[in-house]
């Protein structure tokens, strides 16, 4: 694991040099949050109203938290780089390096979001307190309990996006599948909580990565409940385990395909 730690540190230090550029991305984030803030202000006729069990402040904070996760995890490493390496044939060179290619990509991805996440979280917390007010009934212990869920959510997202990139071994372009995955996560889990959707659909949504990537961590922060924590963390660990198995399986099959076809 030491070699992956070295990769992680090198990417971390590299991204620290461009932390200002990362912070500039907060402008786009702020514009999205401002638009949805106006939407929810319109939807809630009174601050005391509840929609799907969320108060106005909770709903806006939910969107802010899920967008933090979304923007933090938006890196080209697990999407364009992996797919390009495969399509351009560079994978034939990289797979002979003294590390596993998928773990190399995940180490780079982790180094990138390790810089993005605290930057977006700090700016968002300040903007949220100024524009919306403090998160109701928030306690520091709630944040500490939600940290593992946030980290797992971002990691799960990276693993599944890398799995999508790995199908480039068989198809010309995996971007349409990346687009579909992103839109599902964005619309269902990020902009709107699961409770907004019809009751009949909610059990099915909870069986998808959508539940574990954005919804789970945000739910724990805006409305912490111990039983929710005990429901979300095992689901995240299960999805992470399944995602890693699928990642290794696709990569192994892809490498065999290269060997059979002569590299």
């Amino acid at each position: 694991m030491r070699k992956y730690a070295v990769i992680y540190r090198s990417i971390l230090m590299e991204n620290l040099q461009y932390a200002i550029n990362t912070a500039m991305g907060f402008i786009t984030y702020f514009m999205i949050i401002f638009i949805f803030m106006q939407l929810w202000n319109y939807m809630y006729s009174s601050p005391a109203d509840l929609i799907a069990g969320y108060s106005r402040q909770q709903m806006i904070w939910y969107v802010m938290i899920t967008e933090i996760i979304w923007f933090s995890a938006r890196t080209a490493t697990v999407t364009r780089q992996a797919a390009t390496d495969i399509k351009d044939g560079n994978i034939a060179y990289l797979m002979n390096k003294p590390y596993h290619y998928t773990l190399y990509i995940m180490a780079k991805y982790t180094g990138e979001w390790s810089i993005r996440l605290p930057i977006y979280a700090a700016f968002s917390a300040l903007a949220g307190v100024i524009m919306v007010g403090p998160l109701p009934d928030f306690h520091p212990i709630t944040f500490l309990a939600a940290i593992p869920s946030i980290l797992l959510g971002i990691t799960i997202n990276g693993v599944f996006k890398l799995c999508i990139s790995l199908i480039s071994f068989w198809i010309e372009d995996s971007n349409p599948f990346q687009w579909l995955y992103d839109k599902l996560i964005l619309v269902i889990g990020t902009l709107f909580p699961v409770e907004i959707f019809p009751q009949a659909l909610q059990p099915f949504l909870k069986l998808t990565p959508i539940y574990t990537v954005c919804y789970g961590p945000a739910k724990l922060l805006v409305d912490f409940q111990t039983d929710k924590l005990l429901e979300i963390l095992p689901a995240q660990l299960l999805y992470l385990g399944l995602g890693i198995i699928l990642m290794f399986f696709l990569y192994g099959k892809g490498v065999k395909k290269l060997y059979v076809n002569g590299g």
Side-chain angles (χ1 to χ4, degrees), residues 170 244-254:
W170 295 275
I244 291 174
I245 291 172
L246 179 62
M247 180 181 72
F248 285 136
F249 174 78
L250 291 174
Y251 179 76
K253 287 291 185 180

Side-chain angles (χ1 to χ4, degrees), residues 8 11-26 28-29 64-65 67-80 108-125 150-151 154 157:
Y8 168 79
I11 296 300
L12 189 69
M13 296 304 297
E14 178 183 326
N15 280 268
L16 275 174
Q17 299 177 21
Y18 301 99
I20 295 178
N21 291 340
T22 300
M24 293 299 292
F26 185 77
T28 304
Y29 169 91
M64 292 182 67
I65 293 166
E67 286 292 335
I68 290 171
I69 297 172
W70 175 257
F71 273 82
S72 299
R74 287 179 62 189
T75 72
T77 299
V78 291
T79 53
R80 288 195 295 273
K108 288 190 65 176
Y109 168 74
T110 305
E112 290 168 349
W113 67 251
S114 293
I115 297 298
R116 291 170 174 264
L117 180 61
I119 291 176
Y120 278 101
F123 279 113
S124 301
I150 295 171
L151 302 184
I154 296 176
N157 181 68

Side-chain angles (χ1 to χ4, degrees), residues 40-41 44 47-66 128 132-138 142 190-193 195 215 218-225:
W40 288 118
N41 283 334
Y44 284 85
D49 287 347
L50 294 178
I51 297 179
Y54 292 79
S55 67
R56 183 182 66 87
Q57 281 182 299
Q58 285 179 318
M59 189 67 78
I60 294 174
W61 273 103
Y62 174 89
V63 176
M64 292 182 67
I65 293 166
T66 54
V132 187
L135 184 61
D137 302 321
F138 177 79
T142 300
T190 304
L191 300 179
F192 304 101
E195 291 87 352
Y215 168 82
K219 178 67 175 178
L220 292 177
L221 283 171
V222 302
D223 185 21
F224 181 82
Q225 298 173 18

